[in-house]
């Protein structure tokens, strides 16, 4: 609940047009891209600048109102669902690209800027911002920072954290913190920048970002390799790395995913193959040619039935689009699609894919797997139906077993989607009680009243499940869960 | 003071041979590589493994004994001086390289491993660990992690933080924390790995490290460019970057440094030049050749008098050795050498060098400047005499003004040497009161009794000076300061 006087104060900060509390408005901010999670907030506010964010947080601190910062809400871990109600703080109005500094190779922007808008702007001047999460056409960079988003270029180029050099952030008490900057090296105190990246909005509200840019690679080639069995594909990945080639992109699709994508995108994928790798290399033209030839040779040696280099940019785009369409294509199959994020050290890739298939069979659930093979970052994706309680229970059990299998292989419960609510019950399995205690200590140091993005990272209950109930009720019956 | 019963307990953990408290032993661990700082500990302990470290920290926690973890003590910020006495925890016995994982491209090792020993071991199998601090032949990797060490390959390859994927660390209460691992992507909770890197041993004692490796670049070329004035050299740096070339190394030496190095190393540096750039590029041979040709062209265009490509590895090594000899060469000039670490965004390089020269003149002190031009990471180095109180006072004032100048240019007080005691009085200037409060909160969350490496990062006094007094007395008069 937000009292009328608190609402009045919030309106006085942002103007009456940018505070919302009608049932429709609350409904619109009751969910994000994560299936099965929904909960109504008590209010929605859309600040125009850092000072307004600071003003809002001061009010919330005084009234003890919980705050859920968000951008486009494309995350897949229920990281922006207002599970304890409170105020949703939407940062999409703060979407300015403030500077591209071509001498220091940095960009400075507000958190509401769309990821692919940054890509386009920097590429126009020959620069490059590598992180490219699947949702990059609608995701905000503030969201990418909160989740430490990855993408298809992670193998060679790393993830969001590797590019964030400085942040402006508002603490729960309304104070403005500035970390890092444009210095290539900076060891002045604890690295608060890297701590805030991936903190999922639980420590501070990011209001400004300075990112490192690279020179745009001179050329790029795309290729596919098709396999009669999984192991050959996984061995190819290992062989490429063992030969000291780090491709920009090294993606994996299993047979099921290939079939569904082909049915959706009609891009000519061979339906009798068990797996495919989609590989991109970028860099100086001569090196790219040489690497691609070597990769082709290695894939064939490891048992690829066919390896094809895209003839031109059109064919390359078509292949990449097919990969990017995986989730959309799979989502057509059944009412509910749960995309997971189990990750293992890359040497265990084949073993992990086999485990996923074994577990899916054991529980009689339909799981397709695709993902970032080079990173060991897999997306086992389950097509199910939230209305079928019994099946959903089996899905929960299957994913729990998948997470345990990943951990057994030295892996992690989430490679790039974040913990949010979806993985909160599993976090202690990964980081141990000692890790949880340290993280709770950090949380309390930043946010003593635990007002920022409550219910995320730290699980309230120990039952591990993918489904959770609602906070409050939804007025639209079709949005109601359970 | 460490009570006899505490000493007995410490001996029971490590064995009587590995606990030391004779005056000579205490003296040996009363200082590090930072001039002007010295303070006697009350005991020295050398554990053999993580369990012993945990046992030691439990004892210290119970008796409230302060702990200063250290490796070789090569840091330049007095980060390992036991300024409040207590127990120096020396990790040099834990020096095993445990694994080079060629499939996942990682190395796992203990903190006492020497940096260049790791370089050699991974290079033997065609892999590459880029961070190369000046002290790499004697520094430990645990120390590199504590300080987030940089080096000459930072421009293209980043610093220690960019390579640390996982840590084992003992918390002040003796619990063992394990963070990260071999996963290329991992967003399970706050990034404790990156938080511990650069925390200068104030949060936990690192006992195990997993680092990312790269394929060893196929070839490398070294070149020098000589300039009649500073501005041309700085403009060349900007021009190289503006042309989207990122060299592996891009170092700067001013005339004074060149003269002193030539006098020391006799490598044929032209003494009438105002500045030189030392440039290395690595990668596929064809790209290296192409980049070097382009760099040569750009340097000449910006006014270089001569640009010379090293003919062979011998000449290349000679040039790199000359650069690496800068500090040793300068240290011969006068009794006390203070190497500083002011860093600015690289576009402000020329301006910063001019400011340093102006300030040195203003205070009548002798400062030479060299450093990592590509990173904007400069090492203004003052040759002085600690016994000359008046001069030391001027040196203090000059460095204070240099730090202010760096901050005015959007720079930082330390690029790669750490805060330790030397920069502690300046930290708030860089991170603000809000930043200090957040860092203190994190410190308290990890170390509620403030036992770990006391007196570092957080200044006890506001006077900004490079000289501090002793804790306790030294038995050897020649080691006594002030």
């Amino acid at each position: 609940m937000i009292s009328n006087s608190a609402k009045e104060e919030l309106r006085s900060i942002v103007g009456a047009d940018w505070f919302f509390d009608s049932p429709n408005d609350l409904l619109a901010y009751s969910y994000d891209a994560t299936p099965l999670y929904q909960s109504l907030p008590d209010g929605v506010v859309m600040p125009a600048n850092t000072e307004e964010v600071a003003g809002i947080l001061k009010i919330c601190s005084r009234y003890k109102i919980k705050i859920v910062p968000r951008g486009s809400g494309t995350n897949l871990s229920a990281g922006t669902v207002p599970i304890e109600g409170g105020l949703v703080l939407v940062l999409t109005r703060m979407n300015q690209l403030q500077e591209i500094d071509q001498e220091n190779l940095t960009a400075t922007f507000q958190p509401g800027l769309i990821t692919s808008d940054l890509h386009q702007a920097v590429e126009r001047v020959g620069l490059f911002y590598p992180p490219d999460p699947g949702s990059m056409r609608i995701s905000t960079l503030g969201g990418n920072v909160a989740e430490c988003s990855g993408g298809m270029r992670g193998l060679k180029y790393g993830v969001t954290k590797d590019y964030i050099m400085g942040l402006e952030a508002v603490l729960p008490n309304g104070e403005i913190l500035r970390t890092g900057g444009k210095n290539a090296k900076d060891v002045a105190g604890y690295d608060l920048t890297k701590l805030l990246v991936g903190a999922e909005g639980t420590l501070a509200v990011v209001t400004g970002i300075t990112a490192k840019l690279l020179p745009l690679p001179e050329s790029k080639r795309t290729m596919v390799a098709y396999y009669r069995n999984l192991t050959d594909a996984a061995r190819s990945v290992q062989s490429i790395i063992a030969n000291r080639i780090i491709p920009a992109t090294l993606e994996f699709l299993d047979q099921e995913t290939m079939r569904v994508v082909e049915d959706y995108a009609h891009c000519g994928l061979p339906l009798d193959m068990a797996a495919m790798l989609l590989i991109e290399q970028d860099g100086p033209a001569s090196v790219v040619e040489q690497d691609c030839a070597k990769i082709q040779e290695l894939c064939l040696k490891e048992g690829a039935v066919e390896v094809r280099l895209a003839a031109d940019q059109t064919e390359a785009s078509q292949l990449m689009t097919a990969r990017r369409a995986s989730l959309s294509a799979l989502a057509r199959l059944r009412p509910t699609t749960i995309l997971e994020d189990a990750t293992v050290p890359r040497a265990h890739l084949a073993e992990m894919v086999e485990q996923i298939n074994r577990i899916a069979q054991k529980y009689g659930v339909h799981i397709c797997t695709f993902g970032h093979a080079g990173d060991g970052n897999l997306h086992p994706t389950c097509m199910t139906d939230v209305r079928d309680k019994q099946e959903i229970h089996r899905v929960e059990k299957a994913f729990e077993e998948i997470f345990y299998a990943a951990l057994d292989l030295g892996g992690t419960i989430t490679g790039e989607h974040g913990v949010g609510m979806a993985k909160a019950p599993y976090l202690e399995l990964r980081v141990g009680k000692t890790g949880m205690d340290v993280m709770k200590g950090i949380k309390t140091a930043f946010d003593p009243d635990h007002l920022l993005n409550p219910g995320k990272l730290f699980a309230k209950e120990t039952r591990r499940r993918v489904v959770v109930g609602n906070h409050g009720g939804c007025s639209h019956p079709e949005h109601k869960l359970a």
Side-chain angles (χ1 to χ4, degrees), chain A:
Chain A
M1 280 297 295
I2 302 176
S3 68
N4 283 334
S5 64
K7 285 182 184 178
E8 215 38 63
E9 289 192 43
L10 288 167
R11 284 193 190 96
S12 79
I13 295 276
V14 293
D17 286 353
W18 298 107
F19 176 84
F20 310 91
D21 61 354
S22 79
N24 279 346
D25 292 324
L26 299 184
L27 185 63
Y29 291 95
S30 64
Y31 59 93
D32 58 25
T34 323
L36 312 182
Y37 295 84
Q38 188 174 27
S39 176
L40 284 176
D42 300 307
V44 177
V45 67
M46 300 183 79
N49 55 48
T50 304
E51 289 62 42
E52 290 189 7
V53 174
I56 292 165
L57 265 63
K58 278 182 188 146
I59 294 168
C60 290
S61 169
R62 205 153 15 85
Y63 286 94
K64 307 289 177 234
I65 297 167
K66 294 177 176 175
I67 306 130
V68 179
R70 67 169 266 170
S72 302
T74 53
N75 81 84
L76 293 164
S77 52
T80 52
V81 173
I83 191 65
E84 301 187 15
L87 185 67
V88 172
L89 180 64
V90 185
L91 293 151
T92 48
R93 285 177 74 203
M94 293 172 61
N95 63 354
Q96 293 306 299
L97 171 55
Q98 292 148 318
E99 184 195 46
I100 298 175
D101 179 340
Q102 296 201 47
E103 291 188 30
N104 291 307
L105 301 189
T106 61
T108 298
F109 43 85
Q110 291 182 309
L113 182 65
I114 300 295
T115 313
S116 63
D117 288 353
L118 176 65
H119 287 155
Q120 286 165 28
V122 304
E123 286 173 22
R124 272 197 291 274
V125 296
L127 294 172
F128 186 38
Y129 176 74
D132 59 342
S135 54
M136 64 190 186
R137 291 204 189 137
I138 42 169
S139 69
T140 65
L141 285 149
N144 295 173
V145 166
E147 302 293 322
C148 186
S149 302
M152 308 225 295
R153 299 191 283 228
L155 171 57
K156 185 172 182 175
Y157 291 105
V159 296
T160 300
K161 187 180 306 272
D162 300 307
Y163 293 88
I164 305 305
M165 297 178 70
L167 291 173
E168 177 191 77
V170 181
L171 297 175
N173 64 8
E175 281 179 30
I176 298 170
L177 174 72
R178 288 186 181 84
T179 74
K182 291 184 182 178
N183 295 290
K185 289 174 174 170
D186 190 355
V187 291
Y190 302 142
D191 193 337
L192 302 180
T193 309
K194 305 276 189 220
L195 181 60
L196 291 180
V197 179
E200 304 188 7
T202 64
L203 300 181
V205 178
V206 169
T207 52
I209 303 163
T210 296
K212 169 176 145 175
L213 304 174
L214 298 179
L216 187 64
E218 173 190 311
S219 78
K220 184 163 75 177
R221 289 301 296 269
T222 307
M223 58 202 291
V224 274
Y226 300 112
Y227 295 87
R228 285 238 168 70
N229 66 70
L230 275 175
T231 320
D232 292 350
R235 263 213 327 270
S236 298
V237 171
Q238 282 165 36
S239 171
I240 293 166
I241 305 289
N243 278 273
R244 311 292 184 238
I245 300 174
I246 310 286
T249 294
L250 188 37
E251 298 285 311
F252 164 86
L253 279 75
D254 72 359
Q255 185 172 40
E256 283 269 57
T257 311
M258 286 170 70
R259 285 184 182 173
V260 175
V261 167
E262 180 55 26
D263 189 45
Y264 175 81
H266 307 292
C267 44
L269 302 182
L271 301 184
D272 55 336
M273 291 293 146
M276 64 178 269
L277 294 178
L278 177 66
I279 306 163
E280 266 196 357
Q281 183 57 307
D282 60 11
S286 62
V287 177
V288 171
E289 291 307 319
Q290 197 181 313
D291 282 356
C292 287
K294 184 78 187 166
I295 290 169
Q296 185 162 25
E297 183 194 320
L298 293 169
C299 290
L300 289 169
K301 200 171 142 198
E302 297 297 345
V305 177
E306 190 197 344
V307 184
R308 217 178 65 242
L309 209 65
D312 52 25
Q313 192 44 49
T314 312
E315 197 186 346
S317 298
Q318 202 181 22
L319 288 167
M320 292 303 279
T321 305
R323 162 61 185 87
R324 289 205 180 272
S326 302
L327 176 56
S328 316
L330 291 168
R332 294 163 76 217
L333 295 190
R334 298 204 47 208
T336 308
T337 312
I338 301 172
L339 176 68
E340 271 306 342
D341 191 28
T343 301
V344 291
R346 85 169 66 84
H348 293 303
L349 185 73
E351 222 171 322
M352 189 64 212
V353 174
E354 281 157 15
Q355 290 274 14
I356 291 169
N357 290 344
R358 181 189 61 74
I359 293 165
Q361 231 169 9
K362 172 176 167 187
Y363 290 98
V365 295
H366 187 197
I367 295 181
C368 295
T369 299
F370 62 95
H372 316 297
D375 301 328
N377 180 199
L378 291 170
H379 294 311
T381 302
C382 185
M383 280 61 66
T384 182
D385 186 339
V386 65
R387 295 162 302 190
D388 183 339
K389 293 270 177 297
Q390 286 202 322
E391 184 176 321
I392 284 288
H393 181 69
R394 294 201 311 278
V395 171
E396 288 178 9
K397 299 299 288 180
F399 274 120
E400 179 162 353
E401 202 162 319
I402 287 171
F403 297 142
Y404 277 107
L407 291 170
D408 279 349
L409 294 169
T412 185
I413 55 168
T414 172
E416 58 179 10
H417 292 172
V419 175
M421 289 163 65
K423 297 291 174 62
Y426 299 91
L427 185 57
E428 187 167 336
L429 292 180
R430 170 70 183 133
V431 304
K433 187 182 171 305
T434 305
M436 291 303 292
D437 288 347
V438 167
M439 289 183 193
K440 283 177 188 165
I442 292 171
K443 166 71 176 173
T444 302
F446 276 83
D447 182 17
D449 295 322
H450 289 219
L451 296 179
L452 258 185
N453 211 4
K456 314 302 155 56
L457 283 182
F458 306 106
K460 291 224 162 146
E461 49 173 333
T462 51
R463 184 185 162 208
R464 300 191 174 97
R465 52 178 195 171
V466 289
V467 188
V468 298
N470 287 3
H471 159 85
C474 276
S475 52
H476 283 226
E478 63 267 40
H479 283 94
K480 221 159 190 165
L481 296 174

